[in-house]
Amino acid sequence: MEIDLIVLVPLVAILGALYYYITKDNKYFHDKPIPSMAAEPLFGSTRQLLTKKTSFHDFVISIYNKYPLVKVFGMIDTLTPMFVVRDPELIKRIGVKDFDYFVNHRPVFGNSEDTHNKALFGKTLIAIKDQRWRDMRATLSPAFTGSKMRHMFELIVECSTNMAKFYKSELGKKGGVPQEYEMKDVFTRFANDVIATCAFGIKVDSLNNPDNDFYTNGKKMMAFNRPIVMLRMIGFRVLPKLMNWLNEDLFDREQQQFFTEIIRDTVRTREAQGIVRPDMINLLMQARKGALKHQKEAEDREELKSFATVEESEVGRGQSGKGVQMDDLEMVAQCLIFFLAGFDTVSTCLTFLTHELTINRDVQDKLYEEILETSKSLAGGPLTYDAVHGMRYMDMVVSEGLRMWSPAPATDRLCVRDYVVDDGDRLKFTIDKGTVVFIPIAGLHHDPQYYPNPYKFDPERFNEENRDKINPNAYLPFGIGPRNCIGSRFALMEVKAILYYMMLEFSFERTPNTQVPLKLGKGFAGMRAEKGVFVELRPRE
């Protein structure tokens, strides 16, 4: 009996301490003048998501619609209190005007300030914080201006023409009979080849050589729904200090090592042989030396006509040319995050866009007419950077696709010092230092207050007459403020280029496997269709 008590008392004490730790913030919002979602131990307010009962996209829309009359409400994400901001004007204040209070993202995977931690994700532009982020953003920003994208565009066109030729050849082998394809697989291979050549400076052919090392390692790295990756995600949320102490990372060491060796070998070879190529590694090598200068805003005016393009803030322009000390691991990390964004985000955007063009034939036909006109104006020559930005209806279609199916359904900001919210009416409270602001992008994009009939795919929302009616703070496919997506120009020209070349050769047709309405795969992993997106490619006459 005495031995049992010796064991039982410490066990109860440990369990009590653990219970306190995982529930101590569950009543955090009770003394705030805002509503809050119910919270339960460990899950917080996110049980439906963590137990894969819903998709992240649908989860964001559902919580956004839960309190339709409020500007802000509270939610507990596992252990973290989060202020969910529904009001576009408050989002603008937080993301732009009062950015200095919210300069960082929520730390999720690895501590960027721990110099002993070799976790790559923690060293990416997304994860680093404070002045280090400002310096890195200013150093990298000139690499993503319109003039640099213009030089990279030829590489994208090469990948796009190769893809169109491949599927034309495949259908030719079958006597020109239309064939069904799963579009996520199709566009992931395309995005892989684009990122391989534009970011890593190597040529791979993921269509003719489907099991190439670059593609297979990329697929493994992006497999966020694996149990081990889910455990790491939970570990970083619940016990971040322990995960950092264990030197854990979101990605497997095998894939980290693969991409690290590619980049280091490429840099060594180029430095030794004086090789210059219009790709991201070359730009990072220049950035590390402080040799990149930010172009004048006037040069970007044509690109900014694209509705979805985000403009670089003064943070990105402020110190260009200064350079930042970037070790090999940090350089690898920036290439890696560029790869991840290109590999998954771009392919996701293209997959859902293709689905909408397939089931909205009037939109597809109108877009094809513009593509045909552009092709004729080029006299059969390759698509040019200026021509792609001259396709107004293409931009409307892509902008609407990003509204309906934003690859990033939400974003966040970490409050770095106490911030008082005062709307001048009856709402006044403090967002405390260390808490998180959650911006529900998918909710805003599907709010009929900003987008009438929001579940209808309607590119005319973005025509010259209607686009000025859209609240820019309620359209955030690439985020908002200085922490917006640095690669928006690259992503948009990549999406438009492959749509141009594929639609010149094929029409997109429904098959018995085309799911209407489309249902999303459940869980926190990246946005994907529950049963895939199946489309028939039919050669044009």
Side-chain angles (χ1 to χ4, degrees):
M1 183 68 178
E2 191 174 320
I3 295 175
D4 289 344
L5 283 174
I6 292 173
V7 174
L8 188 61
V9 170
L11 181 61
V12 170
I14 291 170
L15 290 175
L18 180 62
Y19 182 80
Y20 170 77
Y21 174 71
I22 64 176
T23 61
K24 61 185 175 66
D25 288 322
N26 279 9
K27 295 183 179 179
Y28 171 84
F29 293 103
H30 287 196
D31 62 348
K32 303 282 185 186
I34 58 174
S36 62
M37 295 175 64
E40 53 187 318
L42 193 59
F43 291 106
S45 312
T46 59
R47 174 190 280 273
Q48 288 289 99
L49 188 59
L50 294 176
T51 56
K52 296 186 176 182
K53 295 291 192 298
T54 186
S55 69
F56 186 41
H57 178 272
D58 292 339
F59 175 78
V60 171
I61 294 174
S62 69
I63 64 167
Y64 177 90
N65 291 333
K66 194 174 182 67
Y67 303 102
L69 301 178
V70 305
K71 294 181 178 180
V72 188
F73 65 90
M75 176 178 77
I76 306 295
D77 183 12
T78 52
L79 310 184
T80 305
M82 302 179 85
F83 291 86
V84 184
V85 183
R86 300 178 77 260
D87 178 55
E89 292 309 310
L90 181 54
I91 289 172
K92 181 180 180 180
R93 290 210 298 275
I94 287 169
V96 182
K97 182 173 177 281
D98 297 325
F99 173 73
D100 287 345
Y101 287 83
F102 302 93
V103 68
N104 300 326
H105 279 304
R106 171 191 182 185
V108 181
F109 308 121
N111 183 358
S112 61
E113 296 174 336
D114 185 352
T115 56
H116 300 291
N117 193 315
K118 301 301 180 185
L120 275 180
F121 193 92
K123 300 185 184 303
T124 64
L125 187 63
I126 288 178
I128 55 178
K129 302 192 290 188
D130 303 321
Q131 191 58 43
R132 182 63 180 172
W133 171 79
R134 291 177 184 273
D135 292 342
M136 186 69 80
R137 179 84 186 206
T139 301
L140 296 179
S141 177
F144 291 90
T145 55
S147 62
K148 301 301 187 297
M149 295 301 100
R150 185 181 292 272
H151 292 139
M152 269 193 215
F153 190 64
E154 290 181 13
L155 300 176
I156 291 176
V157 166
E158 182 182 351
C159 291
S160 301
T161 53
N162 288 343
M163 179 172 167
K165 287 176 183 176
F166 173 83
Y167 284 104
K168 189 175 181 180
S169 173
E170 287 293 296
L171 296 188
K173 294 174 185 176
K174 295 176 171 62
V177 177
Q179 299 294 314
E180 178 187 76
Y181 295 96
E182 202 288 302
M183 301 313 286
K184 177 64 174 175
D185 178 68
V186 167
F187 288 123
T188 300
R189 293 183 185 281
F190 163 73
N192 178 72
D193 291 1
V194 170
I195 292 300
T197 188
C198 289
F200 292 80
I202 62 175
K203 287 191 176 183
V204 296
D205 187 345
S206 301
L207 298 168
N208 287 300
N209 181 17
D211 297 321
N212 66 80
D213 288 345
F214 201 91
Y215 179 76
T216 53
N217 278 283
K219 286 282 282 185
K220 288 177 185 175
M221 188 168 273
M222 293 305 301
F224 292 137
N225 56 348
R226 289 180 296 151
I228 184 64
V229 179
M230 294 302 293
L231 282 173
R232 287 175 189 152
M233 286 182 174
I234 293 170
F236 276 115
R237 289 185 178 201
V238 178
L239 299 166
K241 291 183 179 178
L242 175 63
M243 296 294 282
N244 280 314
W245 183 77
L246 293 172
N247 215 19
E248 280 293 331
D249 198 358
L250 181 63
F251 310 116
D252 293 344
R253 285 186 172 85
E254 179 187 349
Q255 278 73 58
Q256 285 194 48
Q257 187 175 358
F258 173 80
F259 289 109
T260 300
E261 287 177 0
I262 284 177
I263 296 167
R264 283 177 171 165
D265 289 348
T266 302
V267 170
R268 278 196 295 265
T269 301
R270 291 188 185 187
E271 287 179 340
Q273 300 180 18
I275 296 171
V276 176
R277 191 173 183 272
D279 58 23
M280 190 52 55
I281 283 188
N282 181 61
L283 292 172
L284 284 171
M285 290 170 67
Q286 288 182 273
R288 189 157 65 167
K289 297 172 185 175
L292 287 181
K293 305 288 183 183
H294 212 298
Q295 65 186 46
K296 293 180 181 178
E297 186 177 344
E299 294 180 47
D300 289 339
R301 198 162 290 155
E302 185 63 32
E303 291 85 345
L304 290 174
K305 287 180 183 176
S306 174
F307 193 89
T309 305
V310 288
E311 189 171 358
E312 188 60 73
S313 74
E314 290 305 312
V315 172
R317 299 175 189 274
Q319 303 172 42
S320 54
K322 178 183 176 182
V324 66
Q325 291 301 313
M326 196 188 318
D327 61 31
D328 284 350
L329 202 62
E330 287 176 308
M331 190 167 173
V332 170
Q334 307 325 316
C335 268
L336 186 64
I337 200 65
F338 189 54
F339 166 77
L340 294 175
F343 189 85
D344 188 65
T345 308
V346 168
S347 61
T348 297
C349 173
L350 282 163
T351 299
F352 286 94
L353 251 179
T354 306
H355 173 79
E356 292 298 340
L357 289 169
T358 301
I359 64 173
N360 294 279
R361 190 54 190 250
D362 57 331
V363 176
Q364 183 180 166
D365 290 344
K366 187 172 180 179
L367 179 57
Y368 175 64
E369 287 176 13
E370 183 182 62
I371 288 171
L372 206 55
E373 286 176 13
T374 303
S375 178
K376 288 175 181 176
S377 72
L378 295 168
L383 182 64
T384 64
Y385 188 75
D386 291 326
V388 82
H389 287 291
M391 290 191 285
R392 288 288 164 252
Y393 193 68
M394 171 75 84
D395 188 65
M396 290 159 58
V397 168
V398 173
S399 297
E400 176 68 344
L402 287 168
R403 180 197 69 81
M404 274 194 73
W405 303 105
S406 182
T411 188
D412 61 53
R413 297 291 186 273
L414 179 71
C415 185
V416 296
R417 62 181 192 267
D418 288 357
Y419 180 78
V420 176
V421 174
D422 185 352
D423 70 352
D425 188 7
R426 289 178 294 177
L427 185 65
K428 187 174 182 179
F429 65 93
T430 299
I431 297 178
D432 302 307
K433 176 182 177 181
T435 55
V436 175
V437 167
F438 184 84
I439 301 172
I441 295 170
L444 290 161
H445 286 188
H446 290 79
D447 188 335
Q449 179 182 353
Y450 310 117
Y451 303 97
N453 198 2
Y455 290 91
K456 176 179 170 56
F457 185 77
D458 182 12
E460 295 302 328
R461 300 179 201 276
F462 296 91
N463 65 28
E464 292 296 329
E465 180 184 349
N466 293 329
R467 63 194 299 172
D468 291 337
K469 301 173 186 174
I470 294 174
N471 185 332
N473 305 312
Y475 184 75
L476 307 172
F478 293 107
I480 188 170
R483 275 272 189 179
N484 62 27
C485 174
I486 197 171
S488 69
R489 280 186 179 85
F490 185 91
L492 288 168
M493 71 179 184
E494 184 181 349
V495 167
K496 293 174 182 179
I498 190 56
L499 277 180
Y500 173 88
Y501 279 102
M502 289 297 282
M503 288 188 66
L504 265 180
E505 299 292 346
F506 312 104
S507 64
F508 302 141
E509 309 291 341
R510 291 193 193 204
T511 80
N513 293 318
T514 304
Q515 190 182 52
V516 182
L518 203 58
K519 294 181 180 178
L520 298 177
K522 296 176 174 61
F524 184 74
M527 195 167 76
R528 66 198 189 285
E530 182 182 53
K531 296 181 179 178
V533 173
F534 289 91
V535 171
E536 180 184 272
L537 297 183
R538 181 174 298 172
R540 294 194 183 273
E541 295 296 330

